[in-house]
mmCIF file of all heavy atoms in Angstrom:
data_model
loop_
_atom_site.group_PDB
_atom_site.id
_atom_site.type_symbol
_atom_site.label_atom_id
_atom_site.label_comp_id
_atom_site.label_asym_id
_atom_site.label_seq_id
_atom_site.Cartn_x
_atom_site.Cartn_y
_atom_site.Cartn_z
ATOM 1 N N GLY A 60 -1.549 -4.337 89.709
ATOM 2 C CA GLY A 60 -2.002 -4.878 88.431
ATOM 3 C C GLY A 60 -3.355 -5.564 88.465
ATOM 4 O O GLY A 60 -3.790 -6.139 87.471
ATOM 5 N N PHE A 61 -4.057 -5.499 89.608
ATOM 6 C CA PHE A 61 -5.393 -6.097 89.684
ATOM 7 C C PHE A 61 -6.425 -5.136 89.113
ATOM 8 O O PHE A 61 -6.329 -3.928 89.316
ATOM 9 C CB PHE A 61 -5.795 -6.385 91.131
ATOM 10 C CG PHE A 61 -4.909 -7.339 91.867
ATOM 11 C CD1 PHE A 61 -4.803 -7.265 93.238
ATOM 12 C CD2 PHE A 61 -4.189 -8.322 91.211
ATOM 13 C CE1 PHE A 61 -3.994 -8.144 93.944
ATOM 14 C CE2 PHE A 61 -3.378 -9.211 91.901
ATOM 15 C CZ PHE A 61 -3.285 -9.113 93.274
ATOM 16 N N THR A 62 -7.422 -5.681 88.450
ATOM 17 C CA THR A 62 -8.583 -4.913 88.014
ATOM 18 C C THR A 62 -9.821 -5.679 88.438
ATOM 19 O O THR A 62 -9.944 -6.873 88.164
ATOM 20 C CB THR A 62 -8.593 -4.707 86.485
ATOM 21 O OG1 THR A 62 -7.413 -4.000 86.103
ATOM 22 C CG2 THR A 62 -9.820 -3.922 86.047
ATOM 23 N N LEU A 63 -10.715 -4.978 89.121
ATOM 24 C CA LEU A 63 -11.971 -5.562 89.568
ATOM 25 C C LEU A 63 -13.077 -4.611 89.141
ATOM 26 O O LEU A 63 -13.004 -3.415 89.402
ATOM 27 C CB LEU A 63 -11.975 -5.720 91.090
ATOM 28 C CG LEU A 63 -13.239 -6.285 91.724
ATOM 29 C CD1 LEU A 63 -13.473 -7.720 91.252
ATOM 30 C CD2 LEU A 63 -13.123 -6.248 93.239
ATOM 31 N N MET A 64 -14.087 -5.140 88.462
ATOM 32 C CA MET A 64 -15.219 -4.328 88.024
ATOM 33 C C MET A 64 -16.484 -4.840 88.694
ATOM 34 O O MET A 64 -16.581 -6.007 89.060
ATOM 35 C CB MET A 64 -15.374 -4.384 86.510
ATOM 36 C CG MET A 64 -14.236 -3.796 85.747
ATOM 37 S SD MET A 64 -14.572 -3.908 83.972
ATOM 38 C CE MET A 64 -13.036 -3.311 83.317
ATOM 39 N N GLY A 65 -17.469 -3.934 88.836
ATOM 40 C CA GLY A 65 -18.728 -4.334 89.424
ATOM 41 C C GLY A 65 -19.811 -3.308 89.205
ATOM 42 O O GLY A 65 -19.534 -2.170 88.796
ATOM 43 N N ALA A 66 -21.051 -3.710 89.468
ATOM 44 C CA ALA A 66 -22.211 -2.842 89.289
ATOM 45 C C ALA A 66 -23.383 -3.395 90.084
ATOM 46 O O ALA A 66 -23.406 -4.568 90.449
ATOM 47 C CB ALA A 66 -22.597 -2.761 87.814
ATOM 48 N N ASP A 67 -24.373 -2.522 90.338
ATOM 49 C CA ASP A 67 -25.631 -2.963 90.922
ATOM 50 C C ASP A 67 -26.499 -3.542 89.818
ATOM 51 O O ASP A 67 -26.603 -2.968 88.736
ATOM 52 C CB ASP A 67 -26.342 -1.781 91.593
ATOM 53 C CG ASP A 67 -25.629 -1.343 92.862
ATOM 54 O OD1 ASP A 67 -25.351 -2.208 93.707
ATOM 55 O OD2 ASP A 67 -25.361 -0.140 93.008
ATOM 56 N N SER A 68 -27.119 -4.675 90.082
ATOM 57 C CA SER A 68 -27.992 -5.305 89.093
ATOM 58 C C SER A 68 -29.241 -4.451 88.906
ATOM 59 O O SER A 68 -29.933 -4.140 89.882
ATOM 60 C CB SER A 68 -28.412 -6.700 89.539
ATOM 61 O OG SER A 68 -27.297 -7.542 89.629
ATOM 62 N N PRO A 69 -29.557 -4.087 87.662
ATOM 63 C CA PRO A 69 -30.779 -3.308 87.421
ATOM 64 C C PRO A 69 -32.007 -4.206 87.491
ATOM 65 O O PRO A 69 -31.890 -5.437 87.420
ATOM 66 C CB PRO A 69 -30.573 -2.768 86.010
ATOM 67 C CG PRO A 69 -29.664 -3.740 85.352
ATOM 68 C CD PRO A 69 -28.785 -4.299 86.447
ATOM 69 N N PRO A 70 -33.194 -3.602 87.630
ATOM 70 C CA PRO A 70 -34.422 -4.400 87.658
ATOM 71 C C PRO A 70 -34.530 -5.264 86.405
ATOM 72 O O PRO A 70 -34.160 -4.840 85.319
ATOM 73 C CB PRO A 70 -35.532 -3.338 87.664
ATOM 74 C CG PRO A 70 -34.879 -2.079 88.106
ATOM 75 C CD PRO A 70 -33.439 -2.171 87.696
ATOM 76 N N GLY A 71 -35.000 -6.485 86.589
ATOM 77 C CA GLY A 71 -35.192 -7.387 85.461
ATOM 78 C C GLY A 71 -33.984 -8.240 85.138
ATOM 79 O O GLY A 71 -34.070 -9.165 84.338
ATOM 80 N N MET A 72 -32.835 -7.935 85.740
ATOM 81 C CA MET A 72 -31.644 -8.735 85.484
ATOM 82 C C MET A 72 -31.478 -9.724 86.636
ATOM 83 O O MET A 72 -31.366 -9.321 87.786
ATOM 84 C CB MET A 72 -30.415 -7.847 85.355
ATOM 85 C CG MET A 72 -29.161 -8.580 84.970
ATOM 86 S SD MET A 72 -27.864 -7.389 84.580
ATOM 87 C CE MET A 72 -27.524 -7.878 82.922
ATOM 88 N N GLU A 73 -31.511 -11.004 86.310
ATOM 89 C CA GLU A 73 -31.430 -12.032 87.343
ATOM 90 C C GLU A 73 -30.078 -11.985 88.044
ATOM 91 O O GLU A 73 -29.039 -11.869 87.424
ATOM 92 C CB GLU A 73 -31.623 -13.406 86.709
ATOM 93 C CG GLU A 73 -31.599 -14.522 87.715
ATOM 94 C CD GLU A 73 -31.762 -15.892 87.074
ATOM 95 O OE1 GLU A 73 -32.367 -15.982 85.998
ATOM 96 O OE2 GLU A 73 -31.274 -16.854 87.675
ATOM 97 N N ARG A 74 -30.111 -12.065 89.368
ATOM 98 C CA ARG A 74 -28.888 -12.085 90.174
ATOM 99 C C ARG A 74 -29.098 -13.062 91.307
ATOM 100 O O ARG A 74 -29.996 -12.911 92.112
ATOM 101 C CB ARG A 74 -28.584 -10.704 90.741
ATOM 102 C CG ARG A 74 -27.321 -10.701 91.575
ATOM 103 C CD ARG A 74 -27.203 -9.402 92.368
ATOM 104 N NE ARG A 74 -26.111 -9.484 93.299
ATOM 105 C CZ ARG A 74 -26.158 -10.105 94.477
ATOM 106 N NH1 ARG A 74 -27.251 -10.678 94.884
ATOM 107 N NH2 ARG A 74 -25.107 -10.139 95.263
ATOM 108 N N THR A 75 -28.285 -14.092 91.343
ATOM 109 C CA THR A 75 -28.344 -15.088 92.399
ATOM 110 C C THR A 75 -26.937 -15.266 92.943
ATOM 111 O O THR A 75 -25.988 -15.394 92.164
ATOM 112 C CB THR A 75 -28.846 -16.439 91.844
ATOM 113 O OG1 THR A 75 -30.103 -16.230 91.198
ATOM 114 C CG2 THR A 75 -28.993 -17.474 92.937
ATOM 115 N N LEU A 76 -26.801 -15.254 94.268
ATOM 116 C CA LEU A 76 -25.480 -15.480 94.841
ATOM 117 C C LEU A 76 -24.904 -16.771 94.284
ATOM 118 O O LEU A 76 -25.587 -17.784 94.213
ATOM 119 C CB LEU A 76 -25.553 -15.545 96.366
ATOM 120 C CG LEU A 76 -25.850 -14.219 97.057
ATOM 121 C CD1 LEU A 76 -25.948 -14.417 98.564
ATOM 122 C CD2 LEU A 76 -24.783 -13.190 96.736
ATOM 123 N N GLY A 77 -23.669 -16.697 93.859
ATOM 124 C CA GLY A 77 -23.017 -17.847 93.244
ATOM 125 C C GLY A 77 -22.901 -17.712 91.744
ATOM 126 O O GLY A 77 -21.976 -18.221 91.144
ATOM 127 N N ASN A 78 -23.850 -16.998 91.119
ATOM 128 C CA ASN A 78 -23.730 -16.772 89.674
ATOM 129 C C ASN A 78 -23.684 -15.277 89.370
ATOM 130 O O ASN A 78 -24.052 -14.847 88.293
ATOM 131 C CB ASN A 78 -24.849 -17.464 88.890
ATOM 132 C CG ASN A 78 -26.188 -16.770 88.990
ATOM 133 O OD1 ASN A 78 -26.358 -15.839 89.782
ATOM 134 N ND2 ASN A 78 -27.140 -17.210 88.194
ATOM 135 N N ASN A 79 -23.204 -14.486 90.332
ATOM 136 C CA ASN A 79 -23.194 -13.034 90.165
ATOM 137 C C ASN A 79 -21.824 -12.521 89.738
ATOM 138 O O ASN A 79 -21.525 -11.353 89.898
ATOM 139 C CB ASN A 79 -23.653 -12.337 91.458
ATOM 140 C CG ASN A 79 -22.831 -12.722 92.669
ATOM 141 O OD1 ASN A 79 -22.401 -13.854 92.801
ATOM 142 N ND2 ASN A 79 -22.627 -11.774 93.558
ATOM 143 N N ILE A 80 -21.009 -13.390 89.152
ATOM 144 C CA ILE A 80 -19.711 -12.969 88.630
ATOM 145 C C ILE A 80 -19.624 -13.350 87.163
ATOM 146 O O ILE A 80 -19.950 -14.474 86.772
ATOM 147 C CB ILE A 80 -18.554 -13.625 89.415
ATOM 148 C CG1 ILE A 80 -18.576 -13.156 90.867
ATOM 149 C CG2 ILE A 80 -17.213 -13.306 88.773
ATOM 150 C CD1 ILE A 80 -17.521 -13.769 91.745
ATOM 151 N N ALA A 81 -19.184 -12.404 86.344
ATOM 152 C CA ALA A 81 -18.959 -12.635 84.921
ATOM 153 C C ALA A 81 -17.497 -12.360 84.620
ATOM 154 O O ALA A 81 -16.775 -11.797 85.443
ATOM 155 C CB ALA A 81 -19.853 -11.703 84.092
ATOM 156 N N VAL A 82 -17.059 -12.742 83.435
ATOM 157 C CA VAL A 82 -15.711 -12.431 82.978
ATOM 158 C C VAL A 82 -15.836 -11.313 81.956
ATOM 159 O O VAL A 82 -16.625 -11.406 81.009
ATOM 160 C CB VAL A 82 -15.024 -13.668 82.363
ATOM 161 C CG1 VAL A 82 -13.619 -13.322 81.908
ATOM 162 C CG2 VAL A 82 -14.994 -14.818 83.350
#
Side-chain angles (χ1 to χ4, degrees):
F61 299 153
T62 300
L63 178 64
M64 296 181 185
D67 289 309
S68 296
M72 185 170 239
E73 182 181 333
R74 180 192 172 280
T75 305
L76 290 178
N78 75 351
N79 56 324
I80 296 178
V82 181

